[in-house]
Amino acid sequence: MAALWKGRRRWKTNSYFKVLARSLTGKYDYDLVVIGGGSGGLACSKEAAQLGQKVAVLDYVEPSAKGTKWGLGGTCVNVGCIPKKLMHQAALLGTAVKDAKKYGWQIPETPSHDWGTMAGAVQNYVKSLNWGHRVQLNDKKVKYLNMKGSLVDEHTVKAFTKAGKETTLTASNIVIATGGRPKCPTNVPGVEHGITSDDVFWLRNSPGKTLVVGASYVGLECAGFLTGIGLDATIMVRSVALRGFDQQMSGLVTDYMEAYGTKFAWKCVPRRIDKLPSGALQVTWTDTQTDSQHQDTYDTVLWAVGRAPETKALGLDKLGVQLNKETGKIIVGADESTSVPNIYAFGDIGEGRPELTPTAIKAGWLLARRLASQSTQLMNYDNVPTTVFTPLEYACVGLAEEEAERRYGKDGIEVYHAFYKPLEFTVAERDASQCYLKVVCESSGNQKIIGLHFTGPNAGEVTQGFALGFQCGATYSDLLNTVGIHPTCAEEMTKVHITKRSGLDATVTGC
Ligand code: FAD
Ligand code: NDP
């Protein structure tokens, strides 16, 4: 008993001195430990190391329910922006091949697409990015641990390898950038027969006839590229498409997709999925407008019904890190601080933050600079531009027209708009009915621009530059004082002069 007591006293004394030593000298294993090696976590850890901090980053991928797994780099690199944009490009090339014939290229009457070739090339590129990230971390002297992390206290992280080997790391500051994962419905029997965006880019074989459930970014983009490579794709829309976006623009996006071949099941919700002996999936759904039941069979069901934050394994409740009870995301301040000192969170895991790669990267970079006392600059989350990479791309920055109207009143805004025809569509005889732009301005004073929307080829490329003007507080007259680049689609933005209020025909004619 005495020996036990002595032992306990020695342990207590040791750990007391360890804690005292830490708090007196500020000496931890690391200046910064980042949990999550995705867009945000990598940017944060690399910048911190660049500034001379001792940094470790943990990244661990829990395989999807279907067993899909991937390497370092997070959602964007492995199961998000990068494979998505490349498959979108595959689809655009299909359209370009059709256009090419009109431009004189001699192409077989029915060119076909091979899923395996596309997926293999995309996956190889993603693997090269995984490797590139590892090399960069090594070059910048960031310690990379392929381990799953959780918090012990505000300076301590516990980490496990896949095989269950445990390590403890201490750090002056801890950053959580663990992102999110796709959700699945909880009330649909047979839900497990479906896949998510965590799987679709890594399929060895073509998904075939696909039902995509969900009609926001992920649903529309995936259904768009599946249609574009020649597959039968249907989108099941519970309420509206692209909720939260300007609904006139959303209508143009879905009209184009319908004309392009994507099918839509409007105001429908899935009820059950049965796997037939043939392997096909029989989906039963309700049309909520008519309250009628319908059935069809698909090769694949893709759940695109939103994402859930990755907080469960982090042990946040024990430390009192405050979460939003509804969303499960971490409540953060303007400086990305959580409710517990020395613990920061940003990217998709942060409550109220846009779920976008550039915001995660910029926020991580700025946080690293602040933590290294190199800057006090906060991330500016206002005026974040974004693009939906649908067959006809849609990009915007600022307010939707309906939101502008809600904030400023109908007479408080002036909307300038134009239906334009991309030059490239003319010879190819493509329908340009949905190529449209609108600029929402304050109606008073010098007509500050408060919303900018564009559907058309390369919408993201077009809008990125205008987002700078937007950030600088551009007005409608600034826009008109800008000289266009001819012949481009973007130049139409600098010429827009028809107000919606006038009711005049907004179709652009001539140069
Ligand atoms: P993530 O990139 O998700 O990184 C988090 C990392 O942490 C992951 O690797 C995860 O495995 C790891 N992790 C989780 N828990 C732990 C733990 N306990 N220990 C260790 N590691 C852990 N955004 C755009 O801007 N443009 C696009 O075109 C675009 N397309 C998208 C397409 C799809 C299909 C999807 C799903 C998303 C897309 N996004 C796009 C969104 C973008 O991918 C995310 O906003 C971005 O990746 C978020 O970065 P993050 O650093 O917050 O998290
Ligand atoms: P969202 O949360 O934006 O949309 C979910 C969609 O699923 C909505 O259409 C929603 O309908 C529908 N839905 C939700 N639950 C159900 C259900 N039980 N049954 C049927 N439909 C349902 O999620 P996403 O996965 O599309 O996107 C997540 C985030 O990822 C985006 O917010 C975006 O920031 C990011 N992202 C960015 C991209 C880009 O920059 N290009 C591309 C892809 C993703 P309802 O409107 O009725 O709720």
Side-chain angles (χ1 to χ4, degrees), residues 220-249:
L220 294 190
E221 290 184 343
C222 289
F225 77 69
L226 293 175
T227 308
I229 59 169
L231 299 179
D232 181 332
T234 303
I235 302 180
M236 190 168 282
V237 191
R238 176 170 73 174
S239 56
V240 293
L242 292 176
R243 186 143 61 93
F245 282 87
D246 187 294
Q247 283 301 298
Q248 182 194 7
M249 304 306 290

Side-chain angles (χ1 to χ4, degrees), residues 155-207:
H155 292 295
T156 313
V157 170
K158 202 162 55 175
F160 292 92
T161 62
K162 192 176 161 204
K165 192 170 162 245
E166 185 183 332
T167 304
T168 300
L169 302 97
T170 60
S172 185
N173 290 301
I174 297 170
V175 166
I176 305 170
T178 48
R181 295 295 287 266
K183 288 192 285 198
C184 289
T186 49
N187 57 352
V188 179
V191 64
E192 69 279 5
H193 299 309
I195 62 167
T196 68
S197 56
D198 277 357
D199 307 298
V200 69
F201 306 110
W202 292 90
L203 295 175
R204 279 176 193 278
N205 300 313
S206 167

Side-chain angles (χ1 to χ4, degrees), residues 394-416:
Y394 164 41
C396 61
V397 55
L399 301 181
E401 185 180 341
E402 45 272 62
E403 180 60 19
E405 208 173 287
R406 198 183 63 75
R407 290 195 200 176
Y408 291 79
K410 217 174 175 53
D411 293 332
I413 60 169
E414 195 70 84
V415 179
Y416 295 90

Side-chain angles (χ1 to χ4, degrees), residues 35 40 175-180 307-311 314 316 321-324 327-338 344-356 359-360 363 381:
I35 310 179
V175 166
I176 305 170
T178 48
R307 296 175 62 78
E310 276 282 278
T311 49
L314 291 170
L316 300 177
V321 174
Q322 257 189 313
L323 303 181
N324 177 315
T327 61
K329 292 189 175 189
I330 300 175
I331 294 174
V332 282
D335 60 352
E336 326 297 353
S337 58
T338 68
Y344 297 82
F346 71 95
D348 282 10
I349 202 75
E351 176 59 32
R353 300 303 190 221
E355 292 181 13
L356 296 171
T359 47
Y381 287 103

Side-chain angles (χ1 to χ4, degrees), residues 57 137 192 282 312 408 436 470:
V57 61
L137 290 179
E192 69 279 5
Q282 184 179 65
K312 285 179 288 297
Y408 291 79
Y436 178 73
F470 198 96

